[in-house]
Amino acid sequence: MKLLLLELLMFFQESQFSCDDFYKKELDPLAIEGKVSTKDIGEDFYNIFIVNDNGEKIHLRIIKNMAGFEIYNFIVKDSRISKKKGKRSIHVLTENKLDKSLKGKIFDKLCH
């Protein structure tokens, strides 16, 4: 019984990851310059699907935290997203469909 409990404890410790480590591996290497095609909410992440200007499809996973919630709610279909390779900040430009005005926002604190 103690062995089973120990194995479960080790499993949960291994499955935990830090926000910084996740974005260092998943986000920092990406270069994005394109438009949002769709978005959805997964079990652990906000999923944003982007078509880069060169036609490449990108699946951007954002951690479900307060910053991720803000990004997910700000982005709409056809929002312009840009992110430089090696950088962590995500630049978003969104058009208001009613009055055609543009709103832009830079998300640079993703682990809050």
Side-chain angles (χ1 to χ4, degrees):
M1 184 66 157
K2 288 182 181 180
L3 185 58
L4 178 63
L5 187 58
L6 182 61
E7 286 180 28
L8 283 172
L9 182 62
M10 290 177 64
F11 172 76
F12 285 118
Q13 286 178 342
E14 288 175 13
S15 66
Q16 292 179 349
F17 59 92
S18 79
C19 179
D20 187 56
D21 289 341
F22 173 78
Y23 285 129
K24 193 175 290 181
K25 179 183 173 197
E26 296 284 325
L27 182 66
D28 292 358
L30 293 177
I32 301 171
E33 192 69 46
K35 287 188 175 186
V36 173
S37 60
T38 59
K39 66 178 189 174
D40 66 46
I41 300 174
E43 188 174 316
D44 296 320
F45 302 99
Y46 295 107
N47 298 301
I48 301 166
F49 299 92
I50 302 162
V51 177
N52 250 357
D53 290 345
N54 64 8
E56 174 189 16
K57 294 180 181 178
I58 297 174
H59 175 195
L60 182 61
R61 297 186 311 162
I62 304 293
I63 293 175
K64 282 183 160 179
N65 58 13
M66 187 52 100
F69 179 77
E70 289 177 22
I71 294 169
Y72 184 82
N73 285 323
F74 188 78
I75 289 174
V76 296
K77 185 177 179 354
D78 292 330
S79 290
R80 290 281 309 161
I81 294 187
S82 65
K83 189 203 126 344
K84 294 184 184 213
K85 185 175 184 173
K87 302 294 182 185
R88 178 95 27 112
S89 60
I90 299 171
H91 301 238
V92 180
L93 188 61
T94 301
E95 180 182 31
N96 181 327
K97 301 295 183 190
L98 298 175
D99 64 6
K100 303 294 183 197
S101 64
L102 295 174
K103 283 188 353 183
K105 194 164 186 180
I106 298 172
F107 298 94
D108 58 355
K109 295 185 179 12
L110 303 181
C111 291
H112 296 294

